[in-house]
Amino acid sequence: MKRRNFLNQSSLGMTSILVAPHVMGCSSKAQGSAAARKNSPYVISTWNVAEANSIAGKALENGVNALDAAVAGVAFEEANIQNTTVGKGGAPDRDGNVTLDACVMNHHGDCGAVLAVENITHVAALAKDVMEHTPHVILAGAGARKFALERGYTPEELLTESSRKDWKKWLEKGNYQPEINVENHDTIGMLCCDTEGNLSGVCTTSGLAYKMQGRVGDSPIIGSGLYIDNEVGGAVATGLGEEVIKTVGSFLIVELMRQGRTPQQACEEAVQRIVKKQQGKPDFQVAYVATNKKGQVGAFSVHSGFSYSMYKDQTNQNIKSNSVF
Ligand code: GLY
């Protein structure tokens, strides 16, 4: 999608998410030249999301802080109606309602989350607003939607012509079976390290396609879909949320890194913990990406097909993850 179109289609004015660095509280000396930077910033995201990664990476290079950069990056995919697993155009539940989940966590350990929100495209920004403008961490359902409207978000129909058509087709059989996702996208988890060397992260999703009404997965659950400890590192998850929640996967990875595992070792151990509980080969996908304070990165998945995106030094790469199967 062309950037201009994205700006036009975004229901949340970009002034709210891609504002000038000084408005976001970054020190002006961090902007501009590489010489002024204290740290070489980078972005890692689940799946092949080059445009989202570039938006976040360029924001970081301009001195935007890690959380604002991540929220701006994932906003691209939230507004991308070709992406059927995140934001507008995401697959609905069995009754045809598109309900979105997201969370954010910053380098102070502050966090915010929204669960099962309807009619709001930019739920990662909304989760950040919960963190910054309420005394709470989580708002769910109608309350989250009400809060969004109070904050000036424009309500939108999130079910597109195409996602409605797919849902109607699914209804013909209605055979609910979570599927292994080996596509090039799913839940977007994004970890950013800014010029100050601070880590923040975001996780945003429409959840499992044709889920039961009210079902919420791992993505907005702090510790499951996302966890950041700025002294240690950060991790994000994608795949079948039920299995991530049972092992509190992202928190587990950060704690394993605290104990000395590399991000790669920690991701592998977290995936193996899920696989060991199964009788035989699992019929679902789970994948993690993680980074530590040394800038090392790791990724691992249950099945092959998972890849992650990395932006560093003005270069975007899509990297295939190793897997158990
Ligand atoms: N990982 C997304 C979900 O299970 O909802």
Side-chain angles (χ1 to χ4, degrees):
M1 183 182 292
K2 290 267 187 305
R3 184 160 168 70
R4 182 176 298 281
N5 292 344
F6 166 59
L7 291 172
N8 289 341
Q9 287 180 21
S10 171
S11 65
L12 176 65
M14 291 304 286
T15 49
S16 303
I17 45 181
L18 274 180
V19 297
H22 67 275
V23 179
M24 295 176 149
C26 279
S27 77
S28 56
K29 77 178 176 210
Q31 297 173 39
S33 76
R37 288 186 202 132
K38 295 177 187 163
N39 184 68
S40 182
Y42 62 94
V43 184
I44 51 171
S45 304
T46 54
W47 304 100
N48 189 1
V49 287
E51 189 67 38
N53 245 31
S54 293
I55 290 168
K58 286 172 187 161
L60 291 171
E61 285 165 354
N62 283 324
V64 174
N65 70 64
L67 183 58
D68 286 329
V71 169
V74 301
F76 177 83
E77 288 298 338
E78 288 174 335
N80 176 5
I81 60 169
Q82 310 302 327
N83 186 335
T84 60
T85 57
V86 173
K88 188 172 182 176
D93 65 19
R94 298 180 200 188
D95 301 320
N97 311 299
V98 180
T99 60
L100 305 182
D101 307 321
C103 73
V104 301
M105 192 160 188
N106 71 13
H107 66 285
H108 296 300
D110 294 327
C111 45
V114 289
L115 281 60
V117 190
E118 293 185 49
N119 304 122
I120 304 297
T121 297
H122 292 295
V123 280
L126 185 60
K128 180 173 173 276
D129 280 346
V130 170
M131 179 182 89
E132 293 178 346
H133 300 290
T134 79
H136 307 302
V137 168
I138 300 173
L139 289 181
R145 185 179 182 279
K146 182 167 175 253
F147 173 66
L149 300 184
E150 285 165 6
R151 294 284 309 162
Y153 289 69
T154 306
E156 288 187 277
E157 175 55 79
L158 302 181
L159 193 65
T160 61
E161 202 179 309
S162 169
S163 59
R164 184 190 301 275
K165 210 168 119 197
D166 291 345
W167 169 58
K168 292 276 184 196
K169 196 166 164 216
W170 175 83
L171 280 177
E172 287 168 16
K173 283 191 185 159
N175 178 22
Y176 181 68
Q177 187 65 42
E179 286 173 11
I180 298 169
N181 190 337
V182 291
E183 299 169 30
N184 67 351
H185 55 73
D186 188 86
T187 299
I188 296 191
M190 181 180 282
L191 302 172
C192 286
C193 181
D194 63 26
T195 52
E196 300 292 318
N198 289 323
L199 289 169
S200 292
V202 168
C203 198
T204 181
T205 191
S206 52
L208 276 185
Y210 318 129
K211 59 198 174 188
M212 288 177 69
Q213 187 174 15
R215 179 267 185 193
V216 172
D218 62 310
S219 300
I221 309 296
I222 296 294
S224 292
L226 167 72
Y227 197 72
I228 302 287
D229 184 323
N230 199 45
E231 290 184 0
V232 178
V236 277
T238 180
L240 185 63
E242 281 74 1
E243 298 303 323
V244 177
I245 291 171
K246 287 178 204 170
T247 50
V248 199
S250 293
F251 182 74
L252 172 63
I253 289 169
V254 172
E255 291 308 300
L256 289 168
M257 291 193 292
R258 191 193 305 280
Q259 291 165 23
R261 311 293 201 288
T262 64
Q264 185 60 36
Q265 288 167 336
C267 287
E268 290 183 18
E269 196 164 329
V271 168
Q272 289 290 2
R273 201 169 288 199
I274 291 171
V275 169
K276 273 184 203 143
K277 293 199 307 161
Q278 308 300 315
Q279 314 285 334
K281 191 174 178 180
D283 63 354
F284 56 81
Q285 175 70 298
V286 167
Y288 294 106
V289 295
T291 186
N292 63 12
K293 290 293 282 184
K294 293 180 194 160
Q296 294 173 317
V297 168
F300 203 61
S301 56
V302 173
H303 295 280
S304 63
F306 174 63
S307 67
Y308 64 99
S309 303
M310 174 142 191
Y311 181 99
K312 191 170 184 182
D313 299 330
Q314 300 177 2
T315 306
N316 234 338
Q317 281 180 281
N318 185 244
I319 301 161
K320 192 172 171 293
S321 165
N322 287 330
S323 58
V324 181
F325 299 100

